[in-house]
């Protein structure tokens, strides 16, 4: 009898969690159209030597990206749409694509 009660109590707790799981996961993932480009983002973080590391993802592959702010420059993305720049002096950056359609203020990541 004890075992039956425990199983019934466990089923009462597990079933609602399972029922909510897929619904919660569906709301957490952004809706994207198949074949659509991923959303571009950029981040900056302090390196152990006191300089800053700037990187971005979701840009067109092979595109030129200009960054400005504490330092300025231009870099190309790799085939996956990612770029990395190390050794920068400062933590505030704005990134623009060459065609001017994307302009982002980069988020500073603190560890």
């Amino acid at each position: 009898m004890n075992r039956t009660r425990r199983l019934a109590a466990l089923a009462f707790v597990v079933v609602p969690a399972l029922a909510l799981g897929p619904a919660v996961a569906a709301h957490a993932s952004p809706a994207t159209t198949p074949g659509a480009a991923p959303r571009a983002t950029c981040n900056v973080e302090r390196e152990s030597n006191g300089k800053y590391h700037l990187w971005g993802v979701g840009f067109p592959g092979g595109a030129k990206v200009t960054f400005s702010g504490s330092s300025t420059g231009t870099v190309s993305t790799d085939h996956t749409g990612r770029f990395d720049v190390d050794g920068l002096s400062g933590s505030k950056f704005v990134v623009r694509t060459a065609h001017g359609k994307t302009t982002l203020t980069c988020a500073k990541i603190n560890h």
Side-chain angles (χ1 to χ4, degrees):
M1 187 75 169
N2 256 348
R3 182 177 177 192
T4 305
R5 285 185 193 159
R6 279 184 277 173
L7 287 175
L10 182 62
F12 180 72
V13 172
V14 172
V15 171
L18 290 175
L20 289 177
V24 171
H27 291 287
S29 63
T32 56
T33 307
R39 186 174 173 166
T41 62
C42 62
N43 299 294
V44 62
E45 69 181 327
R46 191 175 184 126
E47 298 175 334
S48 61
N49 64 3
K51 297 287 186 172
Y52 290 86
H53 174 214
L54 171 68
W55 78 96
V57 295
F59 293 89
K64 295 276 186 196
V65 177
T66 302
F67 58 92
S68 59
S70 304
S71 301
T72 59
T74 301
V75 65
S76 294
T77 62
D78 65 9
H79 71 281
T80 65
R82 180 178 170 83
F83 72 89
D84 285 290
V85 183
D86 289 321
L88 299 173
S89 59
S91 63
K92 296 181 190 241
F93 293 96
V94 173
V95 172
R96 291 180 181 87
T97 55
H99 58 69
K101 291 184 180 177
T102 304
T103 301
L104 301 169
T105 300
C106 302
K108 184 177 178 187
I109 297 175
N110 295 313
H111 293 281

